[in-house]
Amino acid sequence: MEVNYTNYNAKSLLEALSTIDADAYPENYKNLTEQIALRQEEIEAFYQEQELAQKLKWSRALTFVGVSQVLVALIAIVMLVLSLPTLAMANVGMSIFIVLLNGIAGITLIKRLPKGYLLSFVNLGLQVFSFGAGHFYFNYYGLGGVFLALDWVSDTYNWFSASFSLGGSLFELSTQSEHGFLQVDLLAILYLWVVSKASSKITS
């Protein structure tokens, strides 16, 4: 049965080309390739439209990560102001560092400043791993996270645990109790992948 491809749009023509059996339907294949050749400008316009749609999708994802970091900076400012009377100078300095790191990193993403993407990689990279050994404890994450943890000290976790949290510690460093754990934040890894993928897609 001969197919009339003249009424096909660019997307339908390309889909037909990817599925047609040229050996089984040589006449249809010939008509299809001729139609594609005749409508090359329309095909190219379709490809450009698809590429722009992809860039827009990744641009929105990049904006989302950037806004998340700016929100962390704002939360850190509020926490700093509320806790200022009880904080040691070292903690005040760390809070200011967190505000600046998240704020500048978020703004560079929102404004699409490629040279500043490194700040987001550093900021998000610091959130990937949390750990505790002896009296030393480090935990840093922003608006929340999806965590996998190995704990060989606390009976509560029974070695392995998975958890989800909205909000949490922006930074904690404790020497008050005994620790023994390693935690991975899957959300931070996802954000790192989004920044890496989106930056390459948008600039390509």
Side-chain angles (χ1 to χ4, degrees):
M1 177 180 175
E2 187 172 333
V3 179
N4 181 9
Y5 293 105
T6 57
N7 295 325
Y8 279 38
N9 59 25
K11 180 180 179 181
S12 298
L13 286 173
L14 294 172
E15 288 176 349
L17 183 63
S18 66
T19 58
I20 193 170
D21 187 336
D23 295 327
Y25 305 100
E27 193 63 32
N28 282 339
Y29 180 76
K30 177 186 175 184
N31 293 338
L32 176 59
T33 53
E34 286 178 351
Q35 190 63 216
I36 289 174
L38 287 172
R39 296 163 64 181
Q40 198 60 41
E41 288 186 6
E42 183 181 342
I43 299 293
E44 289 178 1
F46 172 76
Y47 278 131
Q48 290 176 359
E49 182 181 326
Q50 292 294 102
E51 185 178 350
L52 286 174
Q54 282 292 315
K55 286 186 176 182
L56 180 60
K57 181 185 76 172
W58 286 108
S59 179
R60 287 172 177 168
L62 208 58
T63 298
F64 176 81
V65 177
V67 169
S68 297
Q69 291 182 104
V70 171
L71 286 175
V72 170
L74 294 175
I75 291 171
I77 291 173
V78 173
M79 292 177 63
L80 175 60
V81 171
L82 294 177
S83 306
L84 194 57
T86 61
L87 288 179
M89 286 303 297
N91 289 332
V92 171
M94 184 57 66
S95 296
I96 293 173
F97 171 76
I98 289 171
V99 169
L100 293 176
L101 179 58
N102 280 277
I104 297 173
I107 290 170
T108 59
L109 290 190
I110 294 170
K111 288 185 171 293
R112 306 290 185 269
L113 304 175
K115 292 182 179 179
Y117 288 2
L118 178 60
L119 287 175
S120 285
F121 284 115
V122 170
N123 186 37
L124 296 169
L126 288 172
Q127 299 176 40
V128 172
F129 292 105
S130 300
F131 59 89
H135 292 291
F136 184 80
Y137 172 90
F138 170 78
N139 187 25
Y140 168 48
Y141 60 99
L143 296 179
V146 178
F147 307 104
L148 297 178
L150 285 173
D151 192 310
W152 52 90
V153 171
S154 173
D155 294 332
T156 306
Y157 294 103
N158 295 318
W159 278 89
F160 178 78
S161 67
S163 61
F164 169 75
S165 173
L166 284 175
S169 59
L170 295 177
F171 178 81
E172 287 187 23
L173 181 61
S174 173
T175 59
Q176 302 302 314
S177 56
E178 189 75 16
H179 300 286
F181 75 92
L182 176 64
Q183 179 174 268
V184 178
D185 184 355
L186 301 182
L187 184 60
I189 294 174
L190 175 62
Y191 277 9
L192 280 170
W193 177 80
V194 168
V195 173
S196 176
K197 190 78 172 179
S199 59
S200 64
K201 288 286 185 180
I202 292 173
T203 56
S204 63

